[in-house]
């Protein structure tokens, strides 16, 4: 892929696109909103697969291992499809990796990694497959190691790492699997990064707002509100709180016509280092990084579409 071709594919798509969503759906409460938002934008987003990503850290109590996190995420995806009355696409859901990438040369085989690679081979530079990842990016990195030629046929949109100006890159998705992050940033595939700390942390909501705009609209909305509020009140009972709905922003990139939801810029591809910082090489290929979220405009679109499902 030439730099000109890469820059072209780093632009916001202007029409319907084919996409894969790679998600650690049981990790927190934001993946559920992202999956629902994807389903609510069916005129623009043609879902080719939903893949379950692993998750595990010692301070996250929703899983006891990467394999357990992946399996719980797989089940949560199916639960959301039932709530959204979209059981017609349950066959598009795939189990992912049961461990994180052991090094930068060895893929972790899984139905998800194989399916990502298989699907991507059917696309081209002129018509790429969009791979939206909102968890540890093991499945996507494994697919690239298995089939390196897919880097010319995909655009990766990843919510991971912190903003370049933050003190470190110790963000949940990147921290779990730095080796996989290095593959994604270094392989040459067009990459759009949505940094968590410093950018996407702007995209937060509260219990009164969730209940006002979503509660009672449909069974999916009720689940999203109850799940978010239960999680927040478990640590903030009796105190004011807001909760970042991080993962919605990665899906929103695909419908970000005219930069209505976020702004971004082109930079030389960053290097995620094993010491939890970014390295720099200004001769590297380009990537796009989101720098600002229009919080109110995106929530208006999210709440409006979810309430109409």
């Amino acid at each position: 892929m030439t730099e000109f071709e890469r820059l072209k594919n780093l632009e916001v798509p202007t029409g319907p696109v084919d996409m894969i969503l790679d998600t650690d759906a049981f990790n927190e409460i934001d993946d559920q909103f992202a999956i629902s938002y994807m389903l609510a934008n069916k005129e623009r987003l043609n879902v080719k697969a939903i893949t379950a990503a692993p998750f595990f850290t010692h301070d996250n109590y929703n899983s006891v291992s990467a394999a357990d996190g992946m399996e719980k995420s797989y089940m949560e995806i199916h639960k959301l499809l039932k709530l959204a009355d979209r059981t017609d696409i349950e066959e598009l859901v795939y189990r992912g990796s049961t461990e994180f990438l052991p090094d930068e040369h060895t893929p972790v085989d899984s139905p998800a990694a194989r399916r990502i690679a298989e699907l991507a081979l059917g696309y081209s530079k002129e018509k790429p497959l969009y791979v939206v990842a909102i968890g540890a990016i093991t499945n996507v990195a494994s697919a690239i190691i298995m089939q390196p030629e897919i880097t010319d046929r995909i655009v990766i949109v990843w919510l991971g790492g912190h903003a370049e100006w933050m003190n470190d890159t110790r963000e949940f998705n990147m921290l779990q699997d730095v080796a996989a992050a290095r593959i994604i940033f270094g392989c040459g595939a067009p990459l759009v990064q949505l940094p968590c700390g410093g950018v996407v942390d702007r995209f937060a909501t509260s219990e009164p707002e969730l209940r006002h705009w979503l509660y009672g609209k449909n069974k999916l909305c009720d689940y999203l509100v109850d799940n978010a509020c239960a999680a927040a009140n478990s640590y903030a009972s009796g105190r004011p709180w807001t909760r970042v709905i991080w993962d919605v922003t990665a899906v929103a990139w695909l419908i970000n016509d005219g930069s209505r939801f976020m702004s971004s810029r082109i930079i030389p591809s960053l290097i995620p280092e094993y010491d939890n910082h970014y390295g720099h090489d200004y001769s590297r290929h380009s990537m796009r990084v989101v720098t600002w979220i229009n919080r109110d405009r995106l929530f208006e679109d999210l709440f409006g579409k979810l309430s109409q499902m």
Side-chain angles (χ1 to χ4, degrees):
M1 175 173 284
T2 66
E3 187 69 357
F4 177 82
E5 291 167 332
R6 184 177 295 106
L7 290 171
K8 181 176 182 296
N9 284 354
L10 285 172
E11 295 296 324
V12 179
T14 56
V17 297
D18 292 352
M19 67 168 291
I20 293 172
L21 183 67
D22 188 64
T23 167
D24 56 349
F26 196 77
N27 166 44
E28 213 189 337
I29 56 87
D30 53 335
D31 294 77
Q32 292 88 337
F33 281 87
I35 294 167
S36 302
Y37 189 49
M38 175 186 70
L39 298 175
N41 281 283
K42 60 184 178 181
E43 295 82 9
R44 291 289 302 273
L45 306 178
N46 180 24
V47 181
K48 308 302 289 187
I50 307 173
T51 53
F55 71 90
F56 173 70
T57 62
H58 294 292
D59 58 354
N60 183 297
Y61 302 106
N62 286 342
S63 73
V64 298
S65 68
D68 179 55
M70 184 281 295
E71 185 63 25
K72 286 177 176 174
S73 295
Y74 177 81
M75 300 306 296
E76 185 73 0
I77 295 165
H78 281 286
K79 181 176 183 177
L80 284 162
L81 293 180
K82 289 182 173 64
L83 287 167
D85 293 324
R86 290 302 310 274
T87 54
D88 59 301
I89 62 170
E90 283 189 310
E91 64 182 15
L92 304 182
V93 182
Y94 295 85
R95 286 182 168 88
S97 307
T98 57
E99 60 182 300
F100 301 116
L101 213 65
D103 56 59
E104 296 176 39
H105 309 285
T106 309
V108 180
D109 189 23
S110 70
R114 292 195 299 271
R115 187 56 176 158
I116 292 168
E118 179 184 30
L119 282 170
L121 287 171
Y123 290 80
S124 65
K125 299 173 188 176
E126 294 73 28
K127 180 178 170 53
L129 174 66
Y130 287 81
V131 181
V132 179
I134 51 179
I137 201 157
T138 314
N139 293 332
V140 183
S142 295
I144 289 170
I145 298 172
M146 291 174 177
Q147 296 283 353
E149 59 267 41
I150 70 174
T151 57
D152 286 353
R153 309 173 189 214
I154 61 175
V155 177
I156 302 167
V157 182
W158 187 41
L159 183 129
H162 289 317
E164 187 181 1
W165 59 84
M166 300 290 284
N167 290 336
D168 57 55
T169 61
R170 295 180 61 83
E171 178 275 327
F172 188 80
N173 292 344
M174 184 175 285
L175 180 64
Q176 294 175 98
D177 198 356
V178 178
R182 288 171 64 86
I183 296 292
I184 299 308
F185 280 76
C187 68
L191 169 66
V192 179
Q193 182 197 18
L194 290 104
C196 292
V199 179
V200 179
D201 51 8
R202 174 181 173 84
F203 194 64
T205 189
S206 64
E207 181 169 2
E209 191 172 42
L210 288 170
R211 293 197 179 279
H212 176 79
W213 292 108
L214 293 182
Y215 207 72
K217 302 298 184 183
N218 53 58
K219 59 186 177 182
L220 176 60
C221 284
D222 287 354
Y223 175 72
L224 294 173
V225 173
D226 287 341
N227 196 40
C229 293
N233 285 319
S234 68
Y235 67 83
S237 180
R239 294 183 285 121
W241 59 261
T242 58
R243 188 82 176 209
V244 182
I245 314 295
W246 314 88
D247 293 337
V248 169
T249 60
V251 175
W253 168 260
L254 298 182
I255 55 171
N256 186 39
D257 313 68
S259 299
R260 58 179 173 149
F261 298 139
M262 59 195 76
S263 300
S264 63
R265 64 189 179 100
I266 297 291
I267 62 171
S269 183
L270 299 170
I271 306 171
E273 302 286 14
Y274 288 103
D275 67 356
N276 300 311
H277 293 85
Y278 290 120
H280 298 84
D281 177 352
Y282 295 102
S283 68
R284 275 166 63 102
H285 60 274
S286 296
M287 61 173 281
R288 184 176 290 277
V289 60
V290 171
T291 55
W292 180 77
I293 304 292
N294 189 327
R295 183 260 180 212
D296 291 353
R297 185 172 291 177
L298 181 50
F299 267 118
E300 180 182 7
D301 194 65
L302 173 69
F303 290 157
K305 287 177 177 173
L306 294 185
S307 65
Q308 296 300 315
M309 290 182 70

